[in-house]
Amino acid sequence: MRLSEQELAKLLRSNPDLKMAQGDEIERVQPPKTLSPKSQLEEKFLVLWTHLKGPALEREYRFDPTRRYRIDFFHVPTNVGVECEGGTWQYGKSRHSSPQGFRNDAEKYFLATLQDLTIFRLTSDMVNVPYLETLIRFVEKKLYEVTRLDETDD
């Protein structure tokens, strides 16, 4: 039986101890505490990222010691981060869509860019297999380039 993305999301929301295994199988596991999602969108991202065998990510990565800004998911070796932007269709009901929230996010991404971080902002409709496959390929390519540069420095 193949689940639609909506059915998968509903199943995962109602069963937080489930995750994707090989193929289309779902297995019951105890998720690591460091990767516990803060939202349904982040949960969906984690399940799909793991299912697609994406590289290990740090959760809630604090990139600036002087500010409290955090990035939802971060790949340290490549300086690539992912922000799951929920509530994009709920004007005024989401911190991200309020004028002050939008301004705070803009400042956060401004500071991240000054530190040579690459941040991908994914809305709820972008957290799907095609987008994440593309993102995984980007991170893997960047990791190859970083590793190659490190080898030439030696």
Side-chain angles (χ1 to χ4, degrees), residues 5-19:
E5 284 197 28
Q6 290 84 8
E7 292 168 326
L8 175 62
K10 183 178 178 183
L11 176 68
L12 294 172
R13 273 195 307 275
S14 60
N15 298 282
D17 58 337
L18 295 181
K19 80 165 195 168

Side-chain angles (χ1 to χ4, degrees), residues 39 41 84-90 94-97 122-124:
S39 70
L41 182 58
C84 294
E85 303 285 4
T88 53
W89 299 103
Q90 300 174 348
S94 167
R95 183 188 67 76
H96 300 288
S97 62
L122 303 179
T123 59
S124 57

Side-chain angles (χ1 to χ4, degrees), residues 3 12 26 28 38 41 52 60 64 66 69 74 92 94 98 102 126-128 132 137 140 147 152:
L3 297 174
L12 294 172
I26 297 175
R28 192 169 298 275
K38 289 190 160 193
L41 182 58
L52 296 170
E60 292 293 315
D64 187 329
T66 64
Y69 292 135
F74 194 73
S94 167
S98 72
F102 188 87
M126 296 168 71
V127 178
N128 60 43
L132 294 191
R137 283 193 303 271
E140 289 171 342
T147 306
T152 59

